Amino acid sequence: MTRALILGGTTDASLLAAAVARAGIEAVYSYGGRTRVPADQPLPTRIGGFGGVNGLADYIRHEGITHVIDATHPFAAEMSRNAVAACAETGTPLIALERAPWTRTPGDNWIEVHDVNCAAAALPDPPAQVFLAIGRQHIAPFAGKPQHAYTLRFVDPPDAPLPFAADVVVSRGPFTLDGELKMMRARHIDWVVARNSGGDGARAKIDAARTLGLPVIIISRPSLPDRLRVESVAEIMQWLGHRTCLGA
Ligand code: 3Y8
Ligand code: NAP
């Protein structure tokens, strides 16, 4: 009897939850608790950390989890590493649903950097209008370059003082090309900083930057341990042993 744990928090994870619910497969959807009002899911949902590798292993045992699907964001590296370790410890089958990174296309003006500190260092010295599209958790390095006019985009309104002066746009996405073009033009954005999240839910800013001829400082993904990895919901459903003639 299948009882799956979906480590969620992305558009792809929501699409998977819908397919799993439609198929009548028993599953639990898990959020880390980063946002105030995460999107509802058509599955029983838990919110908050497990308590490290041991906490996740205990959860798997106590809840009788038979399959774990890591559908977290490519930058949720600690969760992904913990899932690999906990599934190895408990002998639980694990698969990752992970979209491919965005790749540079003609017209893209990308500066690829290793992490957020390198992203801050890559900004020019002369003051510029900078769109920091990397959320809330990892913006501190930009306090070292206060000469720029920053636009931040958060899922929830800030609940603490910012480490530097900035305008905050509150929006959870997914985002549209028209919306990104309108915002970037209205704010005379010169530079964009983004993670290479992949997927469609946040690529509009990348396409808008290309349209406007703007440079994008793009942060490469963290390295993750080897694990079985697919890019489609249909492949996850097949892995769960659910065969349909119409895709997922
Ligand atoms: C809580 C679930 C959907 C899902 C939407 C995707 C698309 C928009 C791209 C920009 C970049 C950013 C951020 C982003 C993307 C989707 C998807 C995706 C980037 C939600 C969600 C949760 C989170 C957590 C949040 C982080 C933040 C990162 C905003 C829900 C909406 C910037 C990542 O305030 C905080 O602490 C926010 C934290 C981790 C990164 C950061 O450091 O601030 N995501 N995002 C998940 C949980 O608790 O487990 O609230 O419903 C999910 C989505 N985020 O279709 O509705 O890729 O699937 N999320 C980045 O790329 O740098 C936005 O603004 O252009
Ligand atoms: P992270 O740094 O990899 O994880 C830190 C800790 O948060 C984990 O060790 C775990 O705590 C807890 N956690 C993370 N995701 C969880 C989940 N889905 N369910 C239960 N606990 C979770 O995580 P993050 O980068 O902050 O991402 C947090 C959530 O936001 C994830 O669901 C992710 O998919 C989503 N998200 C992240 C980004 C991003 O840019 N990082 C973008 C979009 C969406 P314990 O050790 O206590 O178990």
Side-chain angles (χ1 to χ4, degrees), residues 8-14 29-41 47-48 72-75 99 102 131-139 153-156 171-175 180 193-203 205:
T10 60
T11 304
D12 294 343
S14 298
Y29 190 97
S30 180
Y31 280 118
R34 291 286 178 287
T35 52
R36 290 184 195 168
V37 187
D40 288 335
Q41 297 296 339
I47 298 178
T72 60
H73 190 272
F75 281 78
R99 60 276 182 120
W102 298 316
F131 175 27
L132 275 189
I134 57 170
R136 176 189 64 83
Q137 297 182 99
H138 305 289
I139 58 175
R153 182 152 65 191
F154 288 2
V155 177
D156 296 314
S171 174
R172 68 170 42 236
F175 307 100
E180 302 291 56
V193 181
R195 292 191 182 92
N196 195 330
S197 302
D200 301 327
R203 91 150 290 140
K205 61 181 174 284

Side-chain angles (χ1 to χ4, degrees), residues 101-153:
W102 298 316
T103 50
R104 193 196 300 257
T105 59
D108 281 329
N109 176 5
W110 286 6
I111 299 160
E112 295 183 83
V113 297
H114 181 67
D115 59 26
V116 179
N117 288 307
C118 297
L123 279 175
D125 288 333
Q129 306 284 337
V130 180
F131 175 27
L132 275 189
I134 57 170
R136 176 189 64 83
Q137 297 182 99
H138 305 289
I139 58 175
F142 295 91
K145 295 216 171 165
Q147 69 270 35
H148 300 305
Y150 289 105
T151 295
L152 302 177
R153 182 152 65 191

Side-chain angles (χ1 to χ4, degrees), residues 6-22 29 31 38-43 71 97 233:
I6 299 174
L7 300 173
T10 60
T11 304
D12 294 343
S14 298
L15 294 172
L16 173 63
V20 165
R22 267 198 313 273
Y29 190 97
Y31 280 118
D40 288 335
Q41 297 296 339
L43 294 170
L97 174 58
V233 168

Side-chain angles (χ1 to χ4, degrees), residues 1 16 33 35 53 64 114 122 128 148 204 207 226 244:
M1 179 67 182
L16 173 63
T35 52
V53 173
H114 181 67
H148 300 305
D207 297 334
D226 285 341
T244 66

